[in-house]
Every structure is written in structure tokens, then in C-alpha cells.
């Protein structure tokens, strides 16, 4: 599944981790806040917007928890794992035994967010903009679509590249 103009499989693992943190994590927080503001502005324009607002706000709350686990637990260990492997040094065991445990949790959360954003897409009829909608409504639909596309890229990078490569590094280090 190619979701970007970049061939992420060619990138070093630590660069992918930085990209996820600096592009996706920052983007989720910045774009999420902007979208919530738009949802509040146009809530009365379309009856589905109220349901979308509830789903999106819950998504941001759950994503914040998810991002914090990545930033404070998983990714710091993965950076250590990459550095130790590159320098031929031993790698200390992760506090929860293996990275497979937090990765499993992250993947379950990714699936839940994908499902939630598929529901948002369904509720908005594929981000359709009815005739006569305001510019804010149009901006909202574009924002929701872009947010989901970026989220799918984030999930792809982690599930298909970062996590498998990290497991392989951890297995090789033991």
C-alpha cells in the first residue's frame, strides 16, 4: 500500500521515528484542534456534523493518549535500540519484557482509529460538500479527509515498517 510520495521502506528506522514524531504527532495535534474549531462553527449546518464532532473529539482524546505512550515509552526505547545496534552495543531489555507487547497495543489502537475515521467518512458521505454549504463547511470536509489520509500514512509507517523492523532489531540483539 503506497500512501505517500516517499518510499518509506528505504528510510533508516530512526528517521522514520523522527518523521512520525515531527510530522504526524505534531500534525495530529495542530490539525485536530483546527478541525474541532471548524466542527463547532458548522455544527448546525448539517445534522451529521454533531455525530462527527463527538467521534472526532473522542478520536483526539484517544490519539493523545496513544501519542503519549509512543513518545514516552515506546519510541525512546526504539531510539536506544537503533543506536545500540548501530554501535554494536548490548541492548537493555524493555521494562515490559519485549517491544512486542506495546506494539500489539499500538496496533489495536490503530485499528480502532481507522474504524472510527471510516465511520466519520461514512457519516459525511465521503466528505461530500452539499450545494450551498459554507466555506467553513468545505474547509472542514477537506480537513477531515486530509486528517484521515495523514493518519493512514502514520499507521502504515508504524504497522508495516517501524514495528516489524524494531521487532527484528530486538530479536537480533538478544
Amino acid at each position: 500500500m503506497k500512501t505517500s510520495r516517499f518510499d518509506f521502506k528505504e528510510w533508516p528506522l530512526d528517521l522514520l521515528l523522527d518523521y512520525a514524531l515531527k510530522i504526524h504527532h505534531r500534525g495530529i495535534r495542530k490539525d485536530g484542534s483546527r478541525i474541532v474549531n471548524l466542527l463547532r462553527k458548522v455544527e448546525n449546518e448539517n445534522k451529521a456534523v454533531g455525530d462527527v464532532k463527538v467521534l472526532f473529539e473522542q478520536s483526539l482524546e484517544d490519539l493523545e493518549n496513544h501519542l503519549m505512550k509512543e513518545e514516552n515509552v515506546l519510541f525512546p526505547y526504539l531510539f536506544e535500540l537503533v543506536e545500540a545496534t548501530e554501535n554494536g552495543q548490548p541492548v537493555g531489555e524493555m521494562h515490559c519484557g519485549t517491544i512486542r507487547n506495546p506494539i500489539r497495543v499500538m496496533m489495536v489502537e490503530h485499528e480502532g482509529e481507522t474504524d472510527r475515521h471510516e465511520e466519520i467518512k461514512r457519516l459525511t458521505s465521503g466528505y461530500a460538500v452539499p450545494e450551498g454549504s459554507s466555506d467553513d463547511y468545505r474547509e472542514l470536509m477537506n480537513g477531515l479527509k486530509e486528517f484521515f489520509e495523514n493518519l493512514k500514512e502514520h499507521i502504515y509507517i508504524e504497522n508495516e515498517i517501524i514495528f516489524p523492523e524494531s521487532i527484528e532489531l530486538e530479536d537480533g540483539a538478544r
Side-chain angles (χ1 to χ4, degrees):
M1 167 174 141
K2 185 157 179 156
T3 59
S4 173
R5 66 182 185 264
F6 301 118
D7 185 0
F8 293 113
K9 290 187 178 194
E10 299 298 318
W11 290 24
L13 185 56
D14 57 343
L15 181 58
L16 282 170
L17 292 166
D18 279 334
Y19 183 82
L21 289 167
K22 293 186 171 104
I23 301 299
H24 292 134
H25 287 210
R26 287 179 185 173
I28 287 168
R29 289 175 173 124
K30 182 179 134 241
D31 297 337
S33 176
R34 182 180 59 81
I35 291 169
V36 166
N37 288 336
L38 286 167
L39 282 161
R40 290 176 181 156
K41 280 175 90 171
V42 302
E43 194 167 3
N44 296 324
E45 267 188 64
N46 184 309
K47 64 181 178 169
V49 173
D51 293 336
V52 169
K53 181 174 160 272
V54 169
L55 287 170
F56 194 82
E57 286 177 337
Q58 185 62 56
S59 174
L60 288 184
E61 185 177 318
D62 291 348
L63 280 168
E64 184 59 34
N65 291 329
H66 177 88
L67 301 179
M68 294 301 289
K69 287 185 270 189
E70 287 182 348
E71 292 166 2
N72 295 315
V73 178
L74 183 59
F75 282 17
Y77 180 78
L78 296 182
F79 277 116
E80 288 176 26
L81 182 62
V82 168
E83 186 176 345
T85 302
E86 287 176 354
N87 295 324
Q89 298 173 335
V91 180
E93 188 174 276
M94 188 171 203
H95 71 277
C96 54
T98 174
I99 59 173
R100 282 181 169 82
N101 296 325
I103 285 174
R104 191 175 307 109
V105 171
M106 296 296 106
M107 291 178 80
V108 167
E109 291 175 0
H110 287 164
E111 186 177 329
E113 285 309 311
T114 299
D115 292 346
R116 186 178 349 233
H117 283 270
E118 286 291 351
E119 178 64 7
I120 289 171
K121 184 178 178 179
R122 186 192 70 72
L123 286 169
T124 61
S125 302
Y127 313 110
V129 180
E131 192 172 320
S133 295
S134 68
D135 289 342
D136 287 333
Y137 191 87
R138 184 175 317 284
E139 185 180 345
L140 170 63
M141 291 302 113
N142 288 334
L144 287 169
K145 181 179 181 181
E146 186 177 326
F147 188 93
F148 190 28
E149 290 303 314
N150 290 335
L151 184 62
K152 288 189 289 188
E153 180 182 84
H154 176 76
I155 290 169
Y156 167 77
I157 289 170
E158 289 186 353
N159 287 4
E160 303 300 323
I161 306 170
I162 291 175
F163 295 162
E165 285 186 22
S166 298
I167 289 169
E168 189 176 308
L169 276 182
E170 183 184 57
D171 288 349
R174 293 193 171 187

